[in-house]
Amino acid sequence: MQFGADSIAPRHVSGPVGQETFAAHCLPAPIQCRQPARAEVQRFHHGRRQALRACLESLGQAWIDDPSNEDSRFERVRVRRALAAAERAGTAPHWLAGLATASAAEAAGMAQDAEAWLGRWLVEHPAGFCVVPATAFRELPEKLQQRVLGRITSHYGGEGPRPEAEELRRLACWAGGEAGAARRTLAGAMFGRRKPGFWVTREPGRIAVSPGIVPEAGKLLWDKRFLIEAGPGSAITPARARRPELGEGVPVFAREAYPWVEQPAGSSAPVRITFRQLARR
């Protein structure tokens, strides 16, 4: 082509403009090609699909339409259609793009605030549970409470799918009050009241039944929570009813979710169990 590239592979073309920021930052990385062609691709990226097609037609360059661009199962398709409807109703696409950019900046700032709060207030135990102080938690704005709980739930729940916003809202209401059940679960994590706050650990029943096997390297990240160092071939399962001695103050559910190491017969390798903490200090 005239720009010195063998082919053009642009990211999703905005149609209408602003789709890429409105769709929660799901664009692939920029293509790799010589600078003149890349500049032209970036110019198309900020234009409309019709403009890209018109240019390709003027160059005699064929293209292939991705059928997934019309499949409403994909979020980008639903967002594109919603934005087109908003534009027909008189809403400027550039205004929506600006709103999405501002929202992204706000979310990034909230993520930083959540990490800072966790680093200051979250008390983590090597047995695989944490304690959240009630007073400090209640002082947080509602959205930041939900962000903090989302991070805790994901980490202590075995890094499963992030809970929905409404689930986190209900959990924040429970965590910030004194009414309701003494314990509850969400996304693989278990929560329980403890003065002056509440504890969080892994829900034992959500841990995989099949044992984790330590490889030849002698290390295994088990349940995405504990680093196990033991003899190769060692089988790792949740302790459950065996409930190892972990000291005072450890919730019974944390004991049940703690790793139990069974080494092969004749192995004398030392066993070391290290919990992967959430907070950065």
Side-chain angles (χ1 to χ4, degrees), residues 56-274:
L56 292 174
E57 288 174 349
S58 69
L59 298 172
Q61 176 67 45
W63 70 86
I64 298 175
D65 284 319
D66 182 355
S68 69
N69 286 332
E70 304 301 327
D71 190 338
S72 60
R73 292 177 298 176
F74 293 97
E75 182 187 40
R76 71 175 189 273
V77 176
R78 298 194 299 271
V79 169
R80 184 182 300 138
R81 291 174 178 173
L83 285 171
E87 185 176 13
R88 290 193 296 271
T91 302
H94 290 291
W95 180 84
L96 291 175
L99 177 62
T101 300
S103 297
E106 180 183 0
M110 188 176 300
Q112 292 180 350
D113 291 343
E115 295 302 321
W117 190 92
L118 289 168
R120 179 180 180 184
W121 293 104
L122 191 68
V123 180
E124 296 187 271
H125 194 283
F129 75 99
C130 67
V131 176
V132 181
T135 301
F137 181 80
R138 290 169 184 157
E139 292 175 350
L140 290 173
E142 181 179 340
K143 288 185 177 180
L144 193 51
Q145 286 183 347
Q146 295 174 23
R147 181 78 187 197
V148 165
L149 287 176
R151 291 284 288 122
I152 294 175
T153 301
S154 176
H155 188 83
Y156 282 83
E159 301 289 356
R162 179 179 170 83
E164 298 291 336
E166 178 58 24
E167 293 177 315
L168 290 174
R169 188 194 67 78
R170 291 197 297 266
L171 180 61
C173 289
W174 173 88
E178 297 180 355
R183 292 187 298 272
R184 63 183 302 159
T185 60
L186 178 62
M190 177 166 281
F191 300 75
R193 298 192 191 280
R194 169 182 289 180
K195 292 184 179 181
F198 59 93
W199 53 260
V200 188
T201 191
R202 182 74 154 114
E203 184 180 357
R206 297 288 293 273
I207 301 175
V209 176
S210 57
I213 305 299
V214 177
E216 286 298 320
K219 294 182 179 181
L220 173 71
L221 181 61
W222 181 75
D223 197 40
K224 299 182 180 180
R225 298 182 301 131
F226 287 93
L227 176 63
I228 311 296
E229 298 176 81
S234 297
I236 318 301
T237 56
R240 301 195 189 282
R242 290 168 288 200
R243 299 182 184 177
E245 178 54 46
L246 299 173
E248 296 182 359
V250 178
V252 62
F253 298 101
R255 297 178 188 275
E256 293 179 359
Y258 193 77
W260 185 270
V261 182
E262 294 185 5
Q263 300 211 87
S267 175
S268 59
V271 175
R272 183 178 181 184
I273 301 175
T274 306

Side-chain angles (χ1 to χ4, degrees), residues 29-44:
I31 64 170
Q32 300 296 321
C33 62
R34 289 187 288 275
Q35 188 61 34
R38 183 170 180 175
E40 189 66 18
V41 169
Q42 295 298 330
R43 184 178 70 82
F44 282 134

